[in-house]
Structures are given as C-alpha cells and as structure tokens.
C-alpha cells in the first residue's frame, strides 16, 4: 500500500499546523484542545490550551512564563519516546535551539513528516544537540535564509568581547540577550572561554537562569545587576559583564551602569546597519537559529524530497532547495517571530 503523502493529513488552519489523522496542532497560535509544543519561546508556546504535549523542560518553561495559562493537562514526552495520537505516531527529537527544544516527528501509515520548530546546528552546552531525522517532508524555519547569513564561531565572538573587556577595564560591558536560551548560552560560552568571575544579571533574566540550573545546566556565580541610585553609576560593575534583555541595554537602566559598552548578541548583528540603529558599540554575531549553510546542510541530511517552510526568508530557501532537486513551498503560517 502506498504511504499517504503528508499533504493529505497535515494542513494549515487559522490556529496553525493541524494533523487531521491525529487531531492535534503543532505550535498553535490560538488555544486548542491538544497542542504539541516544540519549545518555550512565546511565539511557539502560547497560553490557553487544554492538553499540551512537550518535553519536561519545555513544560517547566511554560509553567514559569505562563503560570496557570500554561496548560490544563500537560504531558511530558522524552526525546525518542513515542505516543499514539489517533492514527499518528508522534515522537520528539532534539532541535538544538534552547533547553528542551524539540522537532516533532509524525508518522502515519508509512509516511513521516518532521516539524523542526526553531533549530540551530552550532554546539551549545545548554541544550541537547540537533539530530537530523530522515523523512518524507521536512518542515523548516528560514529565519536566516539568505546567503549573507553565515554565523561565525561563537567562541571567536566571545574572544572579541573579552578582548574589549581587557582593553577597557574602567567600563562595564552590557550585553542584550533574550531571557530564554540566549542568556544561558552566553554564560556557558563565557565560562568555556575562561571567564570565571561573577556574571551580573538584569532581574528579568534571573528566573530562567535558575530554571536552567534546576535542570542541571551549571552557569557559575550569577549576581543581580540592580541599577545604581538615580544619577549614580555602580562603580563595582566597572570591568564586569552584565546581561540584560535587548530592550534594556539602551534605556535609563543601562545608563546607570559605569560608562557601558553596549553589546547585542544576535544573528542580525551580521548586518551593520541593524547594529547602528540599535546603538550597539560591540555587535556579537551569536544566533540560536541555523544560518544559510546549515539550513542547506540540514535539508540534505534529512533526505527529504520535499520541504515546507514555516517562516523567514522562504523565497530564497525555496529557490536553493529547487536547485538541490528538492520540492519546496512556503506554508501560510503567520505569528512566528524572527530573532530580532
């Protein structure tokens, strides 16, 4: 019997990607009866669902961020553990994006579709590494789906940061980083590079760093970087590294740090104009998404003859896929944010 093509049992609805044969949604944008959630970022993990299936770590992140709105009936699924939903077998594979992030593998009558969620291929000590899963249809993001985006070695970017710290010991280096994933990865990279001093945190980053620690991710000594009194800088932060949400690095909070060197860790820092617009003195090209070469390599490794693109630079990636002999199309999905 010929395996049914995934387009016969997967469809896009206003809520998001829906599996008809399993009666569940993947990363739905609106409340649904049953959601399989790839990871804890707010554009993928929305509140109000009845039942949620995700990794233990993602469920913990959702609980921490959404509280009672996380899910009425959460169910944890370990990587590689299978569950039967209707006529579909579902299991999760590591996505390498943030703690607990997963690809959703769906198998129906001999056909396999893999929804990647957001993913990266660079090494990251704070989450399980991406695993390429052979499939018939690979559903991928394309946040950095243009040839200009080729991410450098993150340790080389950290070396730039530490060189600047050594050159300007009288200044504080404040780095804009997302609370989930990016902040913890930066801390781990700094430790890997030999920075064993305390790292100072804006209060918005502390809860998820604590959650990572509870899940066995060692981050070393972290201290609160509360701003100094009005009109006064905290001089003890001179020569130190402070992490803060991207929105805080140029506001009044940061101006009370001692002569701060404003940094931002993002794949978009490859674009100099973006760094200039944000007032970034030291751009750090460190991303939690796959770059152009990694997107192409991943399509090859899955062996999928067909690729569906959820969000990002879909036209360029679809063109590149066609040149590789892979059929590609953009899904009409909205609501997933790109790394900003």
């Amino acid at each position: 019997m010929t395996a049914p093509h995934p387009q016969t049992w997967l469809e896009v609805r206003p809520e998001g990607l829906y599996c008809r044969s399993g009666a569940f949604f993947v990363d739905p944008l609106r409340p649904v009866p049953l959601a399989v959630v790839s990871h804890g970022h707010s554009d993928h993990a929305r509140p109000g669902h009845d039942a949620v299936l995700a990794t233990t770590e993602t469920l913990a992140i959702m609980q921490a961020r959404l509280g009672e709105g996380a899910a009425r009936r959460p169910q944890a699924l370990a990587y590689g553990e299978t569950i039967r939903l209707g006529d579909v077998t579902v299991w999760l594979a590591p996505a390498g994006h943030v703690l607990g992030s997963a690809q959703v593998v769906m198998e129906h009558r001999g056909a396999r579709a893999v929804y990647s969620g957001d993913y990266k291929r660079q090494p990251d000590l704070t989450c399980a590494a991406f695993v390429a899963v052979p499939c018939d249809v690979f559903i991928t993001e394309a946040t950095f789906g243009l040839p200009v985006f080729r991410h450098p070695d993150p340790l080389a970017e950290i070396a730039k940061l530490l060189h600047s710290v050594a050159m300007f010991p009288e200044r504080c280096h404040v780095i804009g980083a997302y609370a989930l994933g990016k902040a913890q990865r930066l801390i781990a990279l700094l430790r890997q590079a030999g920075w064993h001093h305390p790292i100072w945190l804006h209060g918005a980053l502390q809860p998820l760093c604590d959650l990572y620690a509870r899940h066995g991710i060692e981050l070393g000594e972290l201290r609160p970087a509360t701003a100094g009194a009005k009109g006064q800088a905290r001089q003890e932060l001179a020569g130190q590294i402070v992490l803060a949400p991207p929105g805080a690095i140029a506001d009044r909070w940061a101006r009370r740090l001692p002569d701060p060197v404003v940094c931002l860790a993002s794949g978009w820092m490859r674009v100099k104009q973006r760094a200039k617009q944000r007032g970034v003195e030291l751009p750090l090209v460190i991303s939690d998404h796959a770059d152009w070469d990694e997107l192409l390599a991943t399509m090859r490794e899955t062996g999928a003859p067909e690729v569906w693109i959820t969000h990002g630079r879909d036209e360029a990636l679809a063109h590149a896929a066609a040149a590789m002999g892979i059929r590609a199309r953009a899904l009409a999905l909205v609501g997933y944010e790109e790394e900003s």
Side-chain angles (χ1 to χ4, degrees), residues 16 56 59 102 126 166-167 179 181 233 254 267 332:
T56 297
L59 291 175
T126 68
M167 290 290 291

Side-chain angles (χ1 to χ4, degrees), residues 50-104:
D50 182 16
V52 170
L53 186 69
T55 62
T56 297
E57 297 87 350
T58 292
L59 291 175
I61 291 166
M62 291 179 67
Q63 181 63 38
R65 304 187 102 183
L66 301 174
E68 294 182 0
R72 284 181 284 276
R73 293 187 294 124
Q75 181 175 352
L77 197 65
Y79 293 130
E81 179 185 358
T82 62
I83 188 171
R84 191 75 174 170
L85 299 176
D87 292 331
V88 178
T89 298
V90 175
W91 52 282
L92 304 178
H97 182 54
V98 298
L99 180 68
S101 61
Q103 303 172 79
V104 181

Side-chain angles (χ1 to χ4, degrees), residues 252-324:
R252 285 176 292 181
W253 179 87
R255 288 199 292 270
R256 282 186 266 168
L257 299 172
D259 193 14
V261 176
V262 175
C263 315
L264 183 60
S266 169
W268 294 112
M269 291 299 95
R270 171 68 73 186
V271 183
K272 293 181 180 179
Q273 187 60 27
R274 291 217 180 197
K276 184 177 179 180
Q277 289 171 347
R278 299 290 294 269
V280 174
E281 186 173 348
L282 180 60
L284 302 172
V285 186
I286 300 176
S287 174
D288 289 330
H289 294 262
D291 69 6
W292 175 254
D293 292 330
E294 291 162 346
L295 289 167
L296 300 186
T298 303
M299 290 193 296
R300 292 191 194 96
E301 290 173 31
T302 65
E306 188 167 338
V307 170
W308 300 350
I309 305 167
T310 58
H311 61 288
R313 272 63 184 169
D314 53 70
E315 291 186 4
L317 190 60
H319 180 77
M324 296 162 57

Side-chain angles (χ1 to χ4, degrees), residues 200-287:
W200 302 76
L201 300 180
H202 185 286
L205 306 188
Q206 189 68 57
L208 285 172
C209 286
D210 292 342
L211 186 149
Y212 267 61
R214 290 195 298 271
H215 283 84
I217 307 300
E218 178 57 51
L219 299 176
E221 185 179 356
L222 307 176
R223 295 182 183 178
T226 52
K230 187 173 182 180
Q232 298 179 14
R234 288 189 59 182
Q235 292 304 323
E236 71 270 30
L237 294 182
Q240 301 298 310
I241 295 173
V242 176
L243 302 187
I249 59 175
D251 69 7
R252 285 176 292 181
W253 179 87
R255 288 199 292 270
R256 282 186 266 168
L257 299 172
D259 193 14
V261 176
V262 175
C263 315
L264 183 60
S266 169
W268 294 112
M269 291 299 95
R270 171 68 73 186
V271 183
K272 293 181 180 179
Q273 187 60 27
R274 291 217 180 197
K276 184 177 179 180
Q277 289 171 347
R278 299 290 294 269
V280 174
E281 186 173 348
L282 180 60
L284 302 172
V285 186
I286 300 176
S287 174

